[in-house]
Amino acid sequence: MEIDGKQLLICNCEGTMPLDGRKLGKAFKAVGIAGDVEINSQLCRAQVANFETALGKGKPVMVACTQEAPLFNEIASERAFEGEISYFNIRELAGWSAQAERAAPKIAALAAAAAVDPKPTPGVAFASEGICLVYGHDERALEAADKLASRLDVTVLLTGDVEVIPPRTMHFPIFRGRITQARGHLGKFSINLDGYAAADPSSRMQLQYGPPKSNVFTECDLILDLTGGTPLFTGHERRDGYHRPDPDNPSAVLEAILELSESVGEFEKPRYVRYDAGICAHGRSRKTGCTRCLDVCPAGAIKSLGDIVEIDGHVCAGCGMCASVCPTGAATYQLPAGDSLFMRLRALLTAYDKAEGRDAVLLLHDERHGGELLSLMSRAGPGLPANVLPLAINEITQVGIDFLTSALAFGAEQIAILVGPEKSGELEGLASQIGLVETVMEGLGYGAGRVTLLDQVDPDAVAEALNNLPRMKKAPAGSFLPIGGKRSRTGLALAHLHAKAPAPVDILPLPKGAPFGTVQVDTSGCTLCLACVGACPTGALSDDPDRPLLAFNEEACVQCGLCKNTCPEQVIALEPRFNFTTEAKNTRVLNEAEPFHCLRCGKPFGVAQSVERIADQLADKHPMFMGGPAVERIMMCEDCRVVVQFDAAQPLASGVRPHIRTTDEDLRNRALGIVDEEDT
């Protein structure tokens, strides 16, 4: 069997999965899997020769088993196989289920999704020399430091007034002090200290210290925080190189010590988020617009640089919340990179539909919490229903409106999201995106309740919740390619949902803060200064170089509010909505006026009503302009003002400047015998 040029190997795991070759063959053929269906029963043992035969063909291999991946990789290494081997799970996700006999469409969909190659994610490099700071307040800090001293370059910093018995041998330096500020990441922590003092070597009954110093700066690669107090960092559990176990939990402390002892050398992690400053709507000219990414980042990896933001890839822990809420796509999640995840989503739902699957429920989960939960459901419970299509993503908080609407447009009846307990305080961004999707689906007549968060930790409770999801009418599956940026993908999905909607509307109101909408301009107060045009980060607002005009393209507007915040007359208001008509794609005029024509040359410039109002006000109230030509200069173009200014009589000008005699002239005249009258 082959799919997209890759050999597909299926195993029923010693008959524990009731795979029907006839049903699978029909489903596989529908999704483009060529060849006769061959179902192994012990591919990793008695039938391993079938795997070796596949390796001998030199083509990429896909194995429908993840448990025995290490064994298969070892065999491939022994055979010097240089091709690609990938694995996907049908056992826990489809075959070990009370509804396994109806799972053929799902298995075909899982195979189609697995055949989509993810694009590689760029990495972020770390380097650690093992300089470790142990921060505590009692003997437990010394005990931990003693365990680390053989592997790391350890320094102990004690805080508080706890009496500590001096160690018999000083294997590491000991200081007292309090950390007032900490910054950085694995391999590059920067720390400010107050009350910093070295332990006296002559300490007898308890540690004594020298004179303290304030505002001391130091650096280290690793930090073990055993104070049990306030964490040194926002989102401390995500900060690489910073470990903060409960000091009263010996096993947690030991686990942290083991991890720290291995944190020496060079490391790399994915650069989770790609940032495009060119389309960021954070600010313009010291005016603040969008702050969504700053508001939701739990790791403190994002900071404002004025008009743009900076995302520290070393600090970023990959939750994806910034990419989820970013209205322009300036922040894009990159694990996997590009449109790989969207193409896998499309392949999964499209294949399920082609294989005659019914009532598709997309189940989003991560591998840490969700993967373990699904495994328990299949091993000790009824397993996943046949219509539930699991899709593993790195973080459930990475999905935004573009992904959710694409899933519904590709044929998902509902979307269920498995949420682990560690995510309980990080759902604000995801909730806002779900709210937008629910508003859209209800407004188009599909009905709300399409996206469900499953926060149960009991596998049986999750299985019950999935089995009790109400049936809903879905949109016919779309076939569009989810290409382009975030707004492009969202637009494609919403256009399909609108075209197939039970109750389509041209204008759909959205809640405040939605990244789509229009602007309203009070033309009676607008002077067409065009400050809003210069502030708009997406080009939604534009002008005309030949005449006073303010134009607007609704499709490009992200409702960042920069135009409203910049407008000196305060005549701009935001209106969140989604406009499904062609008007949203076209540029329309919000305000326009006649230009003023220069009194001297007739050249058009400025806005007629503004120039006339300024001239009238200055002529009546300002002494420099009363009854003089200065008012007329206001009514001239920039070139004519200069000409008239220099042609006019200058009241402070002196007479003709006298000729200045130089020494050279005097010497020359003497040599010629010329006597100047002024010299006689």
Side-chain angles (χ1 to χ4, degrees):
M1 296 178 290
E2 288 191 9
I3 177 171
D4 293 342
K6 300 178 180 181
Q7 302 174 87
L8 176 60
L9 299 176
I10 300 288
C11 180
N12 63 19
C13 200
E14 297 184 327
T16 57
M17 291 186 283
L19 302 183
D20 187 318
R22 183 184 61 82
K23 292 180 179 179
L24 276 180
K26 181 180 178 182
F28 283 2
K29 183 178 180 181
V31 302
I33 298 177
D36 297 331
V37 175
E38 300 177 8
I39 301 177
N40 296 277
S41 59
Q42 203 179 54
L43 185 64
C44 59
R45 299 292 186 272
Q47 294 174 300
V48 72
N50 292 343
F51 175 71
E52 296 173 334
T53 299
L55 297 180
K57 295 180 181 180
K59 295 181 179 180
V61 178
M62 288 176 55
V63 182
C65 174
T66 54
Q67 175 180 285
E68 299 298 326
L71 172 65
F72 291 128
N73 285 337
E74 182 180 348
I75 295 172
S77 177
E78 292 174 353
R79 301 294 187 277
F81 180 70
E82 298 181 354
E84 177 190 352
I85 304 177
S86 57
Y87 305 91
F88 66 104
N89 188 352
I90 65 169
R91 189 177 67 179
E92 282 85 354
L93 302 184
W96 281 358
S97 167
Q99 300 181 13
E101 294 182 356
R102 295 164 24 207
K106 181 203 280 194
I107 294 174
L110 293 173
V116 177
D117 293 322
K119 296 179 181 178
T121 300
V124 179
F126 296 84
S128 169
E129 297 180 0
I131 302 173
C132 179
L133 176 68
V134 178
Y135 186 40
H137 53 74
D138 54 24
E139 282 87 355
R140 290 175 295 186
L142 300 183
E143 294 171 1
D146 193 58
K147 292 182 174 65
L148 289 168
S150 61
R151 300 292 301 272
L152 304 177
D153 182 357
V154 178
T155 298
V156 173
L157 180 68
L158 298 176
T159 186
D161 298 322
V162 177
E163 296 182 357
V164 177
I165 300 174
R168 287 195 305 158
T169 304
M170 286 285 192
H171 294 293
F172 38 78
I174 302 174
F175 297 88
R176 181 169 65 182
R178 179 176 61 88
I179 297 178
T180 58
Q181 187 177 20
R183 302 168 299 280
H185 48 79
L186 170 65
K188 196 175 181 180
F189 286 108
S190 301
I191 298 170
N192 291 89
L193 305 165
D194 276 349
Y196 181 73
D200 291 335
S202 59
S203 299
R204 187 175 181 182
M205 295 297 295
Q206 66 183 58
L207 284 173
Q208 302 293 328
Y209 301 89
K213 299 178 182 178
S214 296
N215 198 27
V216 176
F217 175 80
T218 187
E219 295 179 320
C220 61
D221 298 320
L222 306 162
I223 300 176
L224 175 59
D225 185 351
L226 296 177
T227 62
T230 303
L232 298 178
F233 300 97
T234 301
H236 63 91
E237 66 280 352
R238 299 174 175 274
R239 187 72 56 128
D240 294 313
Y242 176 70
H243 295 263
R244 184 181 169 272
D246 180 357
D248 295 323
N249 185 341
S251 62
V253 174
L254 181 59
E255 182 180 354
I257 290 173
L258 291 174
E259 290 187 25
L260 284 165
S261 64
E262 299 296 327
S263 300
V264 180
E266 296 183 355
F267 306 91
E268 185 176 272
K269 74 174 184 180
R271 185 175 292 278
Y272 296 105
V273 177
R274 178 176 62 84
Y275 175 64
D276 182 358
I279 58 174
C280 179
H282 174 54
R284 286 293 184 276
S285 303
R286 301 183 181 179
K287 296 290 185 180
T288 301
C290 175
T291 61
R292 292 174 175 89
C293 61
L294 291 163
D295 295 338
V296 301
C297 179
I302 308 177
K303 65 179 181 180
S304 172
L305 296 181
D307 288 353
I308 60 175
V309 300
E310 179 182 65
I311 302 178
D312 190 337
H314 293 89
V315 175
C316 174
C319 70
M321 295 170 66
C322 58
S324 170
V325 301
C326 180
T328 65
T332 306
Y333 204 72
Q334 291 291 284
L335 188 63
D339 57 4
S340 302
L341 184 60
F342 285 84
M343 296 305 292
R344 180 164 288 184
L345 171 70
R346 179 179 184 268
L348 178 73
L349 291 169
T350 301
Y352 184 74
D353 185 68
K354 289 181 177 180
E356 298 182 358
R358 296 290 181 267
D359 308 322
V361 175
L362 178 67
L363 177 63
L364 299 176
H365 67 92
D366 60 24
E367 283 295 350
R368 297 183 304 280
H369 170 73
E372 184 66 25
L373 201 60
L374 297 185
S375 177
L376 290 173
M377 285 174 57
S378 66
R379 293 172 182 272
L384 283 176
N387 68 316
V388 175
L389 307 178
L391 181 63
I393 56 180
N394 190 55
E395 295 281 359
I396 58 100
T397 47
Q398 75 186 69
V399 298
I401 185 175
D402 54 339
F403 188 88
L404 298 174
T405 52
S406 294
L408 295 171
F410 287 137
E413 180 182 291
Q414 294 190 70
I415 302 171
I417 304 176
L418 272 179
V419 180
E422 75 281 359
K423 291 289 185 182
S424 59
E426 301 179 2
L427 299 178
E428 178 184 353
L430 179 61
S432 69
Q433 301 302 293
I434 293 175
L436 282 175
V437 173
E438 295 286 16
T439 299
V440 170
M441 297 303 286
E442 186 172 19
L444 294 178
Y446 290 102
R450 296 279 172 169
V451 185
T452 302
L453 291 179
L454 303 177
D455 58 359
Q456 299 91 334
V457 295
D458 183 353
D460 292 336
V462 173
E464 182 180 0
L466 289 172
N467 278 297
N468 291 331
L469 287 175
R471 297 278 75 84
M472 294 183 173
K473 183 178 180 180
K474 68 180 184 67
S479 59
F480 62 91
L481 290 174
I483 57 177
K486 181 174 185 176
R487 294 183 69 81
S488 173
R489 291 191 295 262
T490 305
L492 290 169
L494 290 180
H496 175 79
L497 292 172
H498 178 262
K500 306 297 182 180
V505 294
D506 289 341
I507 304 294
L508 179 62
L510 296 177
K512 183 180 179 181
F516 305 95
T518 186
V519 297
Q520 304 293 345
V521 177
D522 181 0
T523 56
S524 63
C526 176
T527 62
L528 285 171
C529 68
L530 302 180
C532 55
V533 174
C536 182
T538 64
L541 290 167
S542 59
D543 61 355
D544 189 322
D546 298 326
R547 58 187 175 129
L549 179 145
L550 176 62
F552 177 68
N553 183 283
E554 186 168 347
E555 189 176 49
C557 180
V558 297
Q559 297 283 285
C560 65
L562 276 169
C563 57
K564 178 181 178 181
N565 296 340
T566 303
C567 178
E569 288 85 18
Q570 296 297 299
V571 295
I572 297 180
L574 305 179
E575 181 187 345
R577 70 181 194 180
F578 198 90
N579 188 345
F580 290 99
T581 70
T582 56
E583 180 190 35
K585 301 179 182 295
N586 300 325
T587 299
R588 55 189 173 89
V589 176
L590 296 180
N591 192 16
E592 61 180 330
E594 290 297 322
F596 190 85
H597 293 271
C598 175
L599 293 181
R600 186 172 181 273
C601 70
K603 174 184 174 181
F605 76 97
V607 182
Q609 60 187 23
S610 298
V611 174
E612 291 170 355
R613 183 170 65 250
I614 293 172
D616 290 343
Q617 290 177 349
L618 290 176
D620 293 338
K621 299 178 181 179
H622 200 290
M624 288 184 61
F625 294 89
M626 292 181 180
V631 173
E632 294 183 354
R633 285 198 293 271
I634 293 175
M635 307 170 77
M636 295 179 186
C637 67
E638 63 274 17
D639 296 328
C640 290
R641 288 177 203 157
V642 175
V643 173
V644 171
Q645 179 69 32
F646 280 94
D647 285 348
Q650 304 298 320
L652 300 180
S654 62
V656 178
R657 185 178 182 184
H659 174 70
I660 299 175
R661 282 169 46 183
T662 65
T663 302
D664 289 340
E665 289 176 333
D666 285 343
L667 294 175
R668 184 174 62 253
N669 290 344
R670 289 180 185 179
L672 296 175
I674 300 174
V675 179
D676 195 308
E677 293 181 356
E678 295 180 3
D679 297 333
T680 60

